[in-house]
Amino acid sequence: MMRTRPLKVALLGCGVVGSEVARIMTTTADDLAARIGAPVELAGIAVRRAGRVRPGVPEHLITTDAEALVNRGDIDVVVEVVGGIEPSKSLILSAFKQGASVVSANKALLAKDGTELHAAAAEAGVDLYYEAAVAGAIPLLRPLRESLAGDKVNRVLGIVNGTTNFILDKMDTTGAGYSEALEEATALGYAEADPTADVEGFDAAAKAAILAGIAFHTKVTAADVYREGITEVTAADIASAKEMGCVVKLLAICERAADGASVTARVHPAMIPLSHPLASVREAYNAVFVEAEAAGRLMFYGPGAGGSPTASAVLGDLVAVCRNKLAGATGPGDSVYTRLPAKPMDEVVTRYHVSLDVDDRAGVLAQVASVFAEHGVSIDTVRQQGRDGDASLVVVTHRATDAALSATVDKLRALDSVRDVASIMRVEGE
């Protein structure tokens, strides 16, 4: 039998995602009630600035006093899609104290203070759900936290930022340079006016921290994630990847060490073979590979951003926490029992693609090869092209530590025969 008294929801933020959440809640109220077992009432919408036209959003619900809305005392669930650290963190903590569960899409906050927020939710006996914080509409966090709860996840590898994937895809398919591809992404609405969070890898790093924490049952923050963006990726890098039968992607990679004693989380551009399923992920789509001991390799694919896809994930969490409210229960909380340290990037082992501009004369290749050997970096392949006294030398290594490769590159730069280290890029997915 359906409960007649509605569950009251406070919505914090009414931008691209928030306005879609409000619209869907309003237009599908009967369906949501049937799925939950009680009506759901949008009790208020907190915004920074009132007076803006928000099509489909009930004007009488708009307020600029988010604190008063959260602390009304009759709110059952707070949906936070404001973003940023403050005032979002304080508002979420206030919601917990009032006995309200929280649904959030705030990856930056969760990557920084997720453990603290989970502890506060547990103390208050309420839920903290955030499927929408990683990979938009793609069901990913709940499968990791619940469906694979009895398995051991060893690796998570994926494309988790649609803006950078769009830019790199355009550079690959059209031959455009980075600036041209970014301009197109901005014109189409895939990139913000200030794209720093996306193109410098901050957005993907926050998501990697969340993924690693859930996958490996340990505390991982954004500060533990090694980060490189795509601003230094050139058309020449894209062309070199093509010559190797590869494509360049910005990857989030979370791994459990072979001895089980540590984890790594990193975000950086990498070349992956065209045969790898992630190589075919085009435009602004996201895809994540999960490797587990019993389940094997699983791939999650779909739209990773945008108002409607992200709102879909928010509404999925809203239904779940409302059901829990009616049952007088809470869902799975934070699981950090392993307490594994994060290994520094210097100790991470991977393959590398190194492009050098060198003198086109006898003995240079032997000189370069001896430097790699001196630092214990084994060479897989070498490709050399000469042109008017200069030469391009492309070296692909076997697996080596970041520290060993860095020492090798420093020594190469000191050689008279090496005019420039044109580019260095990791190679993944072999």
Side-chain angles (χ1 to χ4, degrees):
M1 183 176 177
M2 183 179 293
R3 191 180 88 165
T4 56
R5 183 169 67 81
L7 292 159
K8 294 191 176 184
V9 178
L11 176 60
L12 309 182
C14 198
V16 174
V17 176
S19 59
E20 273 298 291
V21 170
R23 183 189 67 79
I24 295 171
M25 285 188 66
T26 303
T27 58
T28 66
D30 291 343
D31 283 341
L32 288 173
R35 293 167 193 172
I36 292 167
V40 180
E41 176 188 325
L42 190 54
I45 305 171
V47 299
R48 287 194 179 96
R49 292 181 297 276
R52 287 178 50 191
V53 177
R54 297 176 172 89
V57 177
E59 256 186 72
H60 69 281
L61 295 179
I62 297 293
T63 177
T64 56
D65 195 342
E67 189 174 348
L69 176 60
V70 167
N71 288 288
R72 269 176 37 166
D74 64 342
I75 300 298
D76 296 290
V77 182
V78 170
V79 175
E80 184 272 313
V81 288
V82 176
I85 306 303
E86 288 292 355
S88 297
K89 180 180 177 180
S90 295
L91 291 169
I92 289 173
L93 291 173
S94 293
F96 292 156
K97 289 177 183 176
Q98 292 292 330
S101 291
V102 171
V103 173
S104 177
N106 193 334
K107 63 248 177 192
L109 175 58
L110 290 158
K112 179 178 181 291
D113 296 318
T115 299
E116 179 186 347
L117 294 175
H118 270 292
E123 184 179 352
V126 296
D127 280 321
L128 172 62
Y129 276 41
Y130 43 90
E131 185 67 63
V134 180
I138 304 171
L140 179 58
L141 302 189
R142 200 169 301 170
L144 277 174
R145 189 171 48 228
E146 299 177 28
S147 303
L148 296 173
D151 207 340
K152 182 181 179 183
V153 175
N154 291 317
R155 194 168 193 245
V156 180
L157 168 74
I159 298 164
V160 296
N161 183 274
T163 301
T164 51
N165 199 56
F166 180 89
I167 292 170
L168 292 173
D169 181 51
K170 289 303 172 185
M171 291 176 70
D172 179 67
T173 56
T174 69
Y178 167 77
S179 297
E180 298 165 276
L182 173 59
E183 187 177 341
E184 184 176 355
T186 304
L188 291 172
Y190 292 128
E192 302 285 346
D194 179 2
T196 303
D198 292 320
V199 300
E200 293 293 357
F202 290 102
D203 175 85
K207 294 170 181 176
I210 295 169
L211 287 170
I214 294 174
F216 308 134
H217 303 281
T218 192
K219 181 181 176 180
V220 180
T221 69
D224 298 317
V225 181
Y226 174 83
R227 176 192 54 80
E228 284 180 31
I230 65 166
T231 55
E232 301 300 318
V233 176
T234 66
D237 293 326
I238 302 293
S240 290
K242 280 188 173 182
E243 289 177 8
M244 289 176 57
C246 292
V247 66
V248 177
K249 298 290 185 183
L250 182 73
L251 297 180
I253 304 169
C254 310
E255 295 176 302
R256 188 193 302 265
D259 61 5
S262 63
V263 299
T264 60
R266 50 196 166 102
V267 167
H268 54 71
M271 297 180 179
I272 56 173
L274 292 174
S275 57
H276 195 285
L278 289 179
S280 62
V281 178
R282 301 284 308 282
E283 300 200 331
Y285 277 77
N286 284 190
V288 177
F289 250 87
V290 176
E291 298 177 11
E293 290 201 353
R297 301 177 77 191
L298 309 171
M299 183 171 173
F300 300 83
Y301 170 84
S308 293
T310 306
S312 171
V314 170
L315 268 294
D317 279 350
L318 178 63
V319 169
V321 299
C322 284
R323 287 172 174 169
N324 290 343
K325 280 279 182 183
L326 292 180
T330 56
D334 206 13
S335 174
V336 292
Y337 70 91
T338 61
R339 303 186 184 279
L340 299 174
K343 184 188 292 186
M345 191 63 190
D346 278 356
E347 298 175 23
V348 172
V349 176
T350 188
R351 297 174 67 209
Y352 295 87
H353 174 281
V354 183
S355 180
L356 307 171
D357 292 334
V358 300
D359 293 338
D360 188 12
R361 56 181 172 80
V364 172
L365 178 56
Q367 241 186 345
V368 168
S370 70
V371 172
F372 277 89
E374 179 185 338
H375 292 91
V377 180
S378 176
I379 293 175
D380 183 16
T381 62
V382 178
R383 187 174 69 254
Q384 184 174 9
Q385 292 178 322
R387 55 182 191 281
D388 300 326
D390 295 334
S392 172
L393 193 63
V394 175
V395 178
V396 179
T397 74
H398 287 292
R399 293 174 69 82
T401 65
D402 198 68
L405 195 282
S406 295
T408 302
V409 170
D410 287 344
K411 186 67 176 287
L412 288 171
R413 286 195 169 106
L415 295 178
D416 291 339
S417 57
V418 175
R419 301 189 176 189
D420 187 29
V421 179
S423 73
I424 305 167
M425 189 170 293
R426 294 171 180 84
V427 181
E428 297 285 345
E430 71 266 41

